[in-house]
Amino acid sequence: MIASIAAGAVSFLLKLGFGGIVDKALAHLEARADNETERERIRAQTTVEAVRAEVDRIRAEQETARHLASEGTARQTARFSHPIFWVLVTAALGPGVLNLWMLWLYNFLWWSGGIFPQRWSIAAYPPQAAVWVDMSIRWLFDPVAMPVTIATAAGAALAAGRKRR
């Protein structure tokens, strides 16, 4: 019986002295495990949200690219369907094309082997008109490079005018 009383006393003293510490340690370990679980859940959720945000960003960029491409195509289509475009094309290319056709007709009819033979072989296209026709064709098929071409031609004309004086 004394052993039982001694065991009870030791047990009481241990509970009194260490019981709170052991309970606190166990509660701390449980809270730590819960915190780790919560952190992992938040990391997983954040990763999923980050992936979704990246996918949304990429889709928005693709949609913007599609919109810009369709806008450019629509602009090009509208350009060809506008009557003023054809008026400008005719005004810009008309004289050069007419001159070119007349020169071709002249070379076809009056060269040395033509319908009305002459002593000379083929008439050369004037260099000033060749530059002008080249600029007109570039404007029609490459509108992005046209400002550079106009600036170059204007600079060449100014330089030629100053050199002539």
Side-chain angles (χ1 to χ4, degrees):
M1 164 114 171
I2 294 189
S4 168
I5 293 174
V10 170
S11 171
F12 175 75
L13 289 176
L14 285 175
K15 269 192 169 181
L16 186 64
F18 296 111
I21 293 174
V22 172
D23 288 339
K24 286 182 183 177
L26 289 175
H28 174 72
L29 291 175
E30 285 177 9
R32 189 170 164 193
D34 289 343
N35 286 342
E36 281 298 318
T37 305
E38 183 64 19
R39 278 193 212 119
E40 288 301 320
R41 187 188 65 76
I42 290 171
R43 276 192 202 115
Q45 183 180 2
T46 305
T47 304
V48 168
E49 288 174 0
V51 169
R52 283 185 184 149
E54 185 66 19
V55 167
D56 290 342
R57 185 189 64 79
I58 290 171
R59 284 186 181 150
E61 286 178 1
Q62 289 173 345
E63 187 61 33
T64 301
R66 277 192 213 104
H67 175 70
L68 290 175
S70 67
E71 182 180 301
T73 304
R75 194 175 330 128
Q76 189 71 9
T77 303
R79 172 180 166 189
F80 286 120
S81 64
H82 238 301
I84 193 69
F85 172 78
W86 294 108
V87 170
L88 290 174
V89 167
T90 304
L93 296 179
V97 169
L98 182 64
N99 188 5
L100 183 65
W101 287 347
M102 295 304 286
L103 186 62
W104 285 343
L105 182 65
Y106 186 73
N107 284 332
F108 178 73
L109 295 177
W110 285 282
W111 67 295
S112 60
I115 297 174
F116 307 108
Q118 301 293 322
R119 292 185 313 241
W120 46 268
S121 61
I122 290 181
Y125 200 69
Q128 299 87 355
V131 171
W132 184 85
V133 170
D134 182 51
M135 283 176 44
S136 300
I137 297 299
R138 276 195 206 158
W139 176 81
L140 183 61
F141 292 108
D142 190 12
V144 174
M146 190 56 199
V148 174
T149 306
I150 290 173
T152 305
L158 287 173
R162 291 187 187 263
K163 185 177 179 183
R164 200 179 269 182
R165 288 183 192 168

